[in-house]
Amino acid sequence: MAESEQNRERFQVAYVGDDENNHSMDVEALAPALLAFGQLLRAANTELNDNRATMRVLVDSRFEHKCFLINFETLQTILDTVKGFLNDEGVKHAADVLQKVGVTAGTAAAGLFGYLKWRNGRNVESAQEVKDSPGALVIKVEGDNNTLQIGSDVFRLSKNPEVLEAVEGTLAPIEHNEAKAIEFRKDDKPLVTFKGNDVKAIVASCEDPGGVEVEEEDEEEPRVVTAVLYSHGPVFEPKAPNWRFLYRKKPIYADIRETNIAKDAVKRGASFMNDRYKVKMEVTPPTDEHPETHYKIIEVLDFTPAEQQISMKLKAAKKKPVKKRA
């Protein structure tokens, strides 16, 4: 039996900071980001190639001026059992996967990262095929600057929950203020950089699928999803069974009894609007007995407190000196 075909591709990721003398990064921010890149590329490879190819992600790192630079190498194996039965498109090789994800796309508008930045959490109104360009789609979203042509594979990736979760994970160092920007490179040459507002736009698109995920009306079985919730109408009561959150921009009540959400809020001494929770949540569709969807939080994966405006004490006005009468 012939050996499986393998191909390697390399790319680089730099987390860029302000301090030229600081070449370190908190392991709690870096480790999840490294794991997220592995999850992202494996999930993208599976979405595009199904079970026809596997992918491993290898890594080493070094330091640069104001950068924490990571060198990634992908090792893709195309399975023997499918090499003789490939369709006209064939297997998307590692170089294709990296380009469609956007880490080697070369422009901010190309690839998955660029598309998510452009969408900026807006709802997708339509996705139409381009007649003269096979494999291309024109995406229309709400608001201004609302059409963009992308590859159908990129759109497929943008609907994959595992891919979106991994994209958000790769941006964790910026969200946790360990870096100011993320830069993708190839052979030490910068290709594209995403800064603070760009990252916020990408994360907004990861957290809200924008209408591209349609729930089946006849679905009856509960399902577990990874979701981002924002506290909406905080409750400061440890025994409260349900809290109100915003989920996909809509208010819901979620059962929190199997979590420490309320206890942790008491320990912090406060609970605020827009506190952000990334959770695993069980979603039970409506039934004849229970006409509303039921939400139950199973596990809290991450918590980010809402930004609070610092109250500044105003200086008292100086009193005018009283002139003494002779």
Side-chain angles (χ1 to χ4, degrees), residues 137-312:
L137 298 174
V138 172
I139 308 299
K140 183 180 179 182
V141 298
E142 59 189 359
D144 299 329
N145 183 29
N146 64 347
T147 59
L148 180 71
Q149 181 172 317
I150 62 172
S152 58
D153 286 336
V154 173
F155 191 61
R156 283 174 59 191
L157 293 176
S158 75
K159 297 190 294 181
N160 185 309
E162 187 178 358
V163 169
L164 293 179
E165 180 181 356
V167 168
E168 190 175 356
T170 66
L171 304 174
I174 294 94
E175 287 196 281
H176 294 162
N177 297 317
E178 290 291 329
K180 298 295 182 183
I182 184 171
E183 184 176 83
F184 296 135
R185 302 181 184 182
K186 180 74 172 177
D187 299 327
D188 293 320
K189 295 179 181 179
L191 299 175
V192 62
T193 302
F194 296 105
K195 298 181 180 179
N197 289 334
D198 305 327
V199 169
K200 289 181 180 179
I202 294 170
V203 171
S205 297
C206 292
E207 293 179 350
D208 185 349
V212 296
E213 288 184 349
V214 181
E215 295 184 7
E216 297 293 336
E217 293 183 359
D218 58 351
E219 185 179 9
E220 297 181 357
E221 295 298 322
R223 59 194 179 94
V224 176
V225 300
T226 299
V228 175
L229 309 177
Y230 292 90
S231 181
H232 188 66
V235 180
F236 198 66
E237 171 56 55
K239 296 182 180 180
N242 297 302
W243 273 29
R244 199 176 187 207
F245 297 94
L246 281 182
Y247 174 48
R248 296 180 177 176
K249 300 182 180 179
K250 294 181 180 180
I252 65 167
Y253 282 96
D255 186 339
I256 64 166
R257 284 176 290 185
E258 292 189 6
T259 73
N260 290 324
I261 289 177
K263 291 181 180 179
D264 291 342
V266 172
K267 289 180 182 179
R268 291 193 304 272
S271 176
F272 297 103
M273 288 282 289
N274 293 323
D275 282 347
R276 177 180 177 275
Y277 294 87
K278 186 174 182 180
V279 302
K280 284 195 178 298
M281 181 169 67
E282 183 182 78
V283 181
T284 304
T287 62
D288 293 337
E289 296 181 2
H290 303 283
E292 296 183 357
T293 302
H294 182 260
Y295 301 92
K296 180 180 180 181
I297 299 176
I298 300 172
E299 180 184 0
V300 177
L301 303 175
D302 187 38
F303 170 75
T304 305
E307 294 184 1
Q308 301 299 318
Q309 186 174 357
I310 300 175
S311 59
M312 303 287 289

Side-chain angles (χ1 to χ4, degrees), residues 7 13 23 25 34 66 72 91-92 108 113 120 139 142 161 164 169 174 188 213 245 254 296 312 315 317 323:
N7 59 89
V13 174
H23 304 297
M25 183 178 292
L34 294 179
K66 292 187 180 181
F72 286 97
V91 170
K92 300 293 189 302
F113 277 83
N120 194 14
I139 308 299
E142 59 189 359
L164 293 179
I174 294 94
D188 293 320
E213 288 184 349
F245 297 94
K296 180 180 180 181
M312 303 287 289
K315 293 183 179 180
K323 294 183 179 180

